[in-house]
Amino acid sequence: MGLTLSVSELKKSYGGTVVLDGCSYRFEGGGVYAIMGPNGSGKSTFLRLCALIEKPDSGKADFIEEGVVIEHGLALMRRITLLLPSVGVFNTTVYENIAYGLKLRKVNKAEIEHRVLNAAEMVGLKDKLRRRAVTLSSGETQRMGLARALVISPSVLFLDEPTAAVDAKNSKAIEEIIQNIRHTLKATIILSTHDAGLAERAADTILTLRDGRATAL
Amino acid sequence: MDLIVEGLRKAFLLIFSLDAGLMGIVLLSLRVSLTALLIGTALGVPTGALICLKEKFPLRHLALNILNTAMGLPPVVVGLFLYLLLSRRGPLGALGLLYTASAMIIAQSILAFPIVASLSYAAISAVPPLIRQAAMTLGAAPFQTTMAIVREARYAILAAVMAAFGRLSAEVGAVLIVGGNIAGRTRVITSAIVLETDKGDFSEAIALGVVLLSISLCVNIALYFFSRRGRATGYLWA
């Protein structure tokens, strides 16, 4: 089941430019949320801070399970994941890329194979598992990134502009995958997008980020 | 010209007859250079990674400048300092290492370390930042993140190791000073070439030169093969 994420008074500046100015919101466990906003409104920064790969200047992001706040640390980091708009591709096979998170978690080999095959099938890359990942197209790379995130069954899945860098066909495929995983994964899903259609179709709640603050529409 | 032809003829005779003296020199040379390369790599790669990846590494630019300068360390200078340290009246004289293979390994490790460290730093800093982020977002601990980045730089690091091996296999100044060129104990290919040339036995010197070049060629072909195969398949060894 997805974790609840309570964000309070998040502030972040880069070189004197305020990006987030006291952003607060509570994302309920298992919900699907879309964050919209103009370029430079801080959507990516917000997701990076929530996914704990960057530290805020002030404020906090608490992950809550059954009313208890989970302490920040590696155990929590392994229950959340963020798919970036540009997927960092490890120079190895597609299979090894998807299996990476499972290997970190010391999952046994048979289980890794089973889960990688399932994830690859879900994103339509089952026949490309032995290919070098760096030879994939941008749409396939994005789908591989999605499989890499899905395979670890995260409790919270952050998707930063998941359809921004792909063509219409891949965009539709990725949207279908997102629709599919909201039922199978039962994770809390928070995605940022410029695509109002995607936000409406995929999310239960749409937020806008403006002037460094989040507001529900 | 006759000398060279005669030298080459003798070289092939010595090599194909597996001459015991020659084999002893070759094996010792390989033992010294490969052990030093292993030590230089074991210390150099983590050092390059540390300087590159540790946030707020103190005096990063100074450390890099020192490493870059040390890449060009004259072997005779390294040999001289090590000689002074290891000689009977030196601070490490009690260890009794002077004129042993161990002293030669230490000298060559000192020469290999800055090459591997500096070129590893360059290799690791060329890895795109997305790799670090990808590893972190998939739940990698800090050490696992570092390993993911170093793994991405593996082909360039292999090239760094090849460069260091080239330097060690051709090095003569340091091993001559701290090894003493003692037959059967510390005589390696390069120091033997110096001796045979001094004696005027050019054919023996040429034979050793051919062996030295052959070893370098074989090692470089092997490393090139692994590197090419790795780039093509994504796997370095499998």
Side-chain angles (χ1 to χ4, degrees), chain B residues 72-229:
Chain B
L73 266 179
V76 284
V77 175
V78 172
L80 173 64
F81 277 101
L82 204 55
Y83 179 90
L84 294 173
L85 286 173
L86 297 177
S87 64
R88 198 170 290 175
R89 282 184 296 173
L92 302 176
L95 297 174
L97 289 175
L98 195 62
Y99 303 136
T100 65
S102 300
M104 295 153 72
I105 290 170
I106 295 170
Q108 290 211 336
S109 301
I110 293 170
L111 292 169
F113 168 74
I115 298 173
V116 177
S118 182
L119 296 180
S120 294
Y121 169 86
I124 292 164
S125 54
V127 173
L130 281 174
I131 295 297
R132 177 200 281 256
Q133 291 178 4
M136 285 172 72
T137 56
L138 292 168
F143 179 71
Q144 290 169 322
T145 304
T146 300
M147 289 310 292
I149 297 167
V150 171
R151 193 179 139 82
E152 286 305 298
R154 60 197 180 277
Y155 307 121
I157 290 174
L158 192 61
V161 174
M162 284 163 72
F165 182 76
R167 165 109 155 147
L168 298 189
S169 62
E171 188 278 319
V172 61
V175 290
L176 201 56
I177 294 174
V178 298
N181 203 15
I182 303 167
R185 285 186 57 200
T186 59
R187 183 164 298 163
V188 290
I189 297 176
T190 50
S191 61
I193 291 174
V194 172
L195 180 73
E196 299 304 333
T197 308
D198 281 349
K199 281 163 49 183
D201 189 349
F202 297 113
S203 56
E204 182 87 12
I206 289 174
L208 289 162
V210 169
V211 173
L212 184 59
L213 282 172
S214 305
I215 290 170
S216 285
L217 188 67
C218 288
V219 170
N220 278 296
I221 287 173
L223 291 175
Y224 174 76
F225 169 77
F226 283 126
S227 172
R228 213 180 88 160
R229 183 189 161 120

Side-chain angles (χ1 to χ4, degrees), chain B residues 21-97:
Chain B
L22 179 74
M23 287 303 131
I25 290 172
V26 170
L27 289 177
L28 180 64
S29 301
L30 283 175
R31 182 162 76 87
V32 168
S33 292
L34 291 177
T35 309
L37 186 67
L38 199 69
I39 295 169
T41 303
L43 297 174
V45 175
T47 303
L50 187 75
I51 296 173
C52 182
L53 300 176
K54 182 158 176 59
E55 279 179 56
K56 296 175 185 168
F57 184 87
L59 306 172
R60 176 176 276 124
H61 291 294
L62 179 66
L64 279 175
N65 277 321
I66 290 171
L67 279 181
N68 288 337
T69 306
M71 281 175 77
L73 266 179
V76 284
V77 175
V78 172
L80 173 64
F81 277 101
L82 204 55
Y83 179 90
L84 294 173
L85 286 173
L86 297 177
S87 64
R88 198 170 290 175
R89 282 184 296 173
L92 302 176
L95 297 174
L97 289 175

